[in-house]
């Protein structure tokens, strides 16, 4: 129905994205303080549904919302609004990643006009960078450097899921405004806030896997931590390059 009938799709969109106060809003048990649109409920309730149901809802969102630009724009705003909850659920999820609602991000953040709007008016750059920075801080010892081995070799692939945030940042910054575009003051402030947060991520790299001269005994095996550092640093530097290119 959603594929073939644009009229039915329009009705579905109007109901699914109805704002707070509409009859179609939903109050979820684990978020009792908020009344959510159906679209928002799909985003934040994804991991609590059965696998088959998740596949169906993902397909419904793609066919019913993503093919309409304005609806896709609203979806993107809701995705950023609930980004921390969506990603926290995704990181703790034990199901295959191909059924996750997070698969929508590549289709959302690679649309230049939507990405620019999210950075300017919804602080997307800062929100994503801050989420990753928080996850990174949890891998630090008290006052010490990052300890990456346990995190990256965890059998639940926690790092691989957190890495999704870095991909989102790459998508978000992949199409900077044209050189001829005039940046609004709001865009400058929002981008600056995101860049400042990202610099704090880079600062956390200080002291990872330091190489020191050993003067007391022969070192038979070098630390394998450099592999983890490279795995973490490569996507981060890609984002930094885009950050510099945009600024």
């Amino acid at each position: 129905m959603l594929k073939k009938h644009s009229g039915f799709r329009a009705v579905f969109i109007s109901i699914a994205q109805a704002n707070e106060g509409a009859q179609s809003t939903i109050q979820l048990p684990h978020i009792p303080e908020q009344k959510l649109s159906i679209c928002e409920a799909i985003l934040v309730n994804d991991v609590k549904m059965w696998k088959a149901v998740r596949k169906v809802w993902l397909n419904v969102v793609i066919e019913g919302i993503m093919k309409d630009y304005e609806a896709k724009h609203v979806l993107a705003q809701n995705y950023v609004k609930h980004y921390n909850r969506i990603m926290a659920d995704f990181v703790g999820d034990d199901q295959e990643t191909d059924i996750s609602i997070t698969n929508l991000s590549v289709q959302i953040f690679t649309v230049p006009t939507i990405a620019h709007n999210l950075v300017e008016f919804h602080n997307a750059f800062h929100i994503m960078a801050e989420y990753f920075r928080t996850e990174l801080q949890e891998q630090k010892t008290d006052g010490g450097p990052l300890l990456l081995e346990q995190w990256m070799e965890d059998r639940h692939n926690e790092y691989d899921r957190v890495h999704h945030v870095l991909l989102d940042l790459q998508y978000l910054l992949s199409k900077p405004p044209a050189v001829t575009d005039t940046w609004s003051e709001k865009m400058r402030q929002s981008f600056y806030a995101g860049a400042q947060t990202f610099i704090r991520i880079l600062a956390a790299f200080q002291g990872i896997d330091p190489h020191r001269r050993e003067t007391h005994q022969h070192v038979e095996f070098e630390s394998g931590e450099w592999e983890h550092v490279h795995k973490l640093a490569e996507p981060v530097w890609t984002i930094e390059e885009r950050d510099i290119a945009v600024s």
Side-chain angles (χ1 to χ4, degrees):
M1 291 285 286
L2 292 170
K3 284 184 178 181
K4 297 179 180 179
H5 302 286
S6 59
F8 181 80
R9 185 163 59 245
V11 172
F12 170 76
I13 289 170
S14 66
I15 296 173
Q17 295 189 329
N19 294 324
E20 186 174 346
Q23 291 183 345
S24 58
T25 53
I26 297 172
Q27 200 163 13
L28 296 173
H30 61 290
I31 317 178
E33 70 280 4
Q34 294 185 48
K35 287 187 176 180
L36 307 172
S37 67
I38 293 174
C39 181
E40 288 178 284
I42 294 170
L43 295 175
V44 302
N45 207 45
D46 179 54
V47 300
K48 294 176 174 56
M49 295 184 285
W50 294 335
K51 184 187 296 187
V53 177
R54 294 174 72 176
K55 286 183 178 180
V56 170
W57 273 123
L58 182 60
N59 187 59
V60 166
V61 171
I62 291 172
E63 296 295 338
I65 295 177
M66 299 290 282
K67 293 185 177 181
D68 181 279
Y69 177 78
E70 292 302 327
K72 187 175 184 177
H73 207 150
V74 173
L75 174 68
Q77 293 168 8
N78 286 327
Y79 194 95
V80 170
K81 175 183 175 182
H82 298 287
Y83 191 82
N84 289 342
R85 184 181 294 274
I86 292 169
M87 289 311 304
D89 287 346
F90 175 67
V91 171
D93 190 15
D94 61 356
Q95 297 293 331
E96 295 87 347
T97 58
D98 62 343
I99 62 170
S100 173
I101 204 72
T102 57
N103 286 296
L104 296 174
S105 66
V106 64
Q107 299 183 54
I108 292 173
F109 300 135
T110 52
V111 180
T113 52
I114 291 179
H116 299 167
N117 179 271
L118 294 177
V119 171
E120 182 173 3
F121 297 106
H122 301 277
N123 222 11
F125 187 9
H126 167 72
I127 289 172
M128 293 179 191
E130 179 61 23
Y131 181 86
F132 185 80
R133 190 193 70 81
T134 301
E135 290 283 349
L136 202 60
Q137 286 296 114
E138 292 182 5
Q139 313 312 318
K140 268 195 169 188
T141 55
D142 294 337
L146 290 169
L147 298 177
L148 302 177
E149 183 175 355
Q150 184 177 354
W151 189 35
M152 291 190 167
E153 295 185 4
D154 176 67
R155 65 187 182 89
H156 297 297
N157 300 318
E158 182 178 310
Y159 169 74
D160 289 338
R161 289 176 177 268
V162 175
H163 177 261
H164 190 93
V165 181
L166 297 179
L167 295 178
D168 284 347
L169 280 167
Q170 290 182 37
Y171 300 146
L172 187 73
L173 301 175
S174 62
K175 299 291 184 182
V179 177
T180 55
D181 290 348
T182 301
W183 282 41
S184 68
E185 186 60 30
K186 177 66 175 173
M187 174 65 92
R188 293 179 184 276
Q189 291 174 357
S190 298
F191 184 83
Y192 179 77
Q196 287 289 98
T197 305
F198 196 78
I199 289 173
R200 294 173 69 188
I201 292 174
L202 297 179
F205 280 54
Q206 184 68 30
I208 304 180
D209 190 30
H211 283 223
R212 302 183 181 92
R213 182 184 178 190
E214 181 59 63
T215 58
H216 299 290
Q217 63 183 17
H218 176 67
V219 178
E220 295 185 12
F221 301 99
E222 291 187 3
S223 167
E225 187 76 349
W226 69 269
E227 292 186 61
H228 303 126
V229 175
H230 176 74
K231 184 178 179 181
L232 176 63
E234 188 175 22
V236 170
W237 284 119
T238 299
I239 296 168
E240 181 62 16
E241 288 173 355
R242 293 180 179 181
D243 192 359
I244 293 170
V246 171
S247 57

